Amino acid sequence: MFYLSIIEHNLPLPPRLLNLPLHNAIKGELEKLFLDKVIANLGLCISVYDIRSVEGGFIYPGEGYSSYKVVFRLIMFKPFVGEAIVGKIESSDEFGLQVSLGFFNDIRIPKHLLMQPCNRGPDGIWVWNYGDGGEDSEYPLTINEEIRFRVSNVKFPPIPLEQSEDSKPFSPMEITGDINGDGLGLTSWW
């Protein structure tokens, strides 16, 4: 789920930061550039872990900043396929469930990957119908409940060139999960 990634970046450092210790100034600029951003095929950047090396400090003609070649490690979030994660159900619609981890919200569990048989109740909440169909055999997937799901896909869609006004906001990393298995579903069930 979390891992370290080594990155090499040419970082321009503004003159206003040259009064700070070099590592502090560089770390502050790296955090502004990378924190809470998704890097394609790497995942969501959580934190700058450490700075491995700093080279340069060149001031190019016509520029007012010094440029450094920085090698550093980032703490990244990208779950692997098959990993079990606990999140909270954020919403429910005719297509399935939207789940949040608190720091990441682009997780979908489509209706065909819910526990089967499953149907949507009159209140819009998905209900798992387990067993013989008696009264104790209905388990609702209620909003704000903790849910354990298995990651079935992580994708990084390309940035759209055009987007209509009524479309949902672009998500640079999308996780698809499923709860069709033993031990998966609401944590209160197990």
Side-chain angles (χ1 to χ4, degrees):
M1 180 180 325
F2 296 99
Y3 66 96
L4 291 175
S5 182
I6 297 177
I7 308 283
E8 182 178 302
H9 185 71
N10 290 324
L11 181 72
L13 199 61
R16 63 181 164 74
L17 297 176
L18 294 177
N19 64 336
L20 298 174
L22 185 60
H23 273 343
N24 292 351
I26 288 175
K27 187 172 183 177
E29 285 298 294
L30 290 173
E31 287 173 345
K32 283 198 314 193
L33 278 173
F34 291 100
L35 256 57
D36 294 331
K37 307 263 185 345
V38 172
I39 301 173
N41 299 321
L42 288 181
L44 174 69
C45 178
I46 303 296
S47 176
V48 175
Y49 185 72
D50 65 0
I51 297 172
R52 305 298 288 279
S53 69
V54 176
E55 297 175 6
F58 302 111
I59 300 175
Y60 295 105
E63 303 292 338
Y65 57 83
S66 55
S67 181
Y68 295 91
K69 180 179 170 184
V70 183
V71 177
F72 57 98
R73 292 190 295 180
L74 295 174
I75 299 175
M76 305 296 290
F77 167 74
K78 179 186 169 194
F80 57 86
V81 173
E83 181 174 6
I85 300 176
V86 175
K88 281 197 173 192
I89 298 176
E90 202 171 62
S91 65
S92 176
D93 59 21
E94 66 270 12
F95 303 110
L97 301 174
Q98 180 79 30
V99 177
S100 171
L101 298 178
F103 63 93
F104 187 78
N105 299 332
D106 294 323
I107 302 169
R108 295 283 303 165
I109 302 175
K111 65 181 178 183
H112 69 278
L113 294 177
L114 297 173
M115 292 284 223
Q116 297 300 325
C118 198
N119 60 5
R120 199 158 174 240
D123 55 356
I125 302 295
W126 287 95
V127 178
W128 174 36
N129 300 312
Y130 176 74
D132 60 2
E135 194 173 302
D136 293 337
S137 64
E138 291 187 352
Y139 295 94
L141 294 158
T142 339
I143 307 295
N144 292 325
E145 288 283 334
E146 279 194 345
I147 186 169
R148 181 175 295 111
F149 63 94
R150 180 177 42 226
V151 175
S152 59
N153 188 18
V154 178
K155 74 177 185 179
F156 298 90
I159 298 172
L161 299 176
E162 293 182 18
Q163 194 168 359
S164 64
E165 289 183 24
D166 59 340
S167 65
K168 69 176 189 141
F170 173 71
S171 7
M173 181 169 79
E174 297 172 350
I175 297 173
T176 304
D178 80 84
I179 59 168
N180 197 4
D182 291 338
L184 303 175
L186 296 187
T187 55
S188 60
W189 295 349
W190 309 100

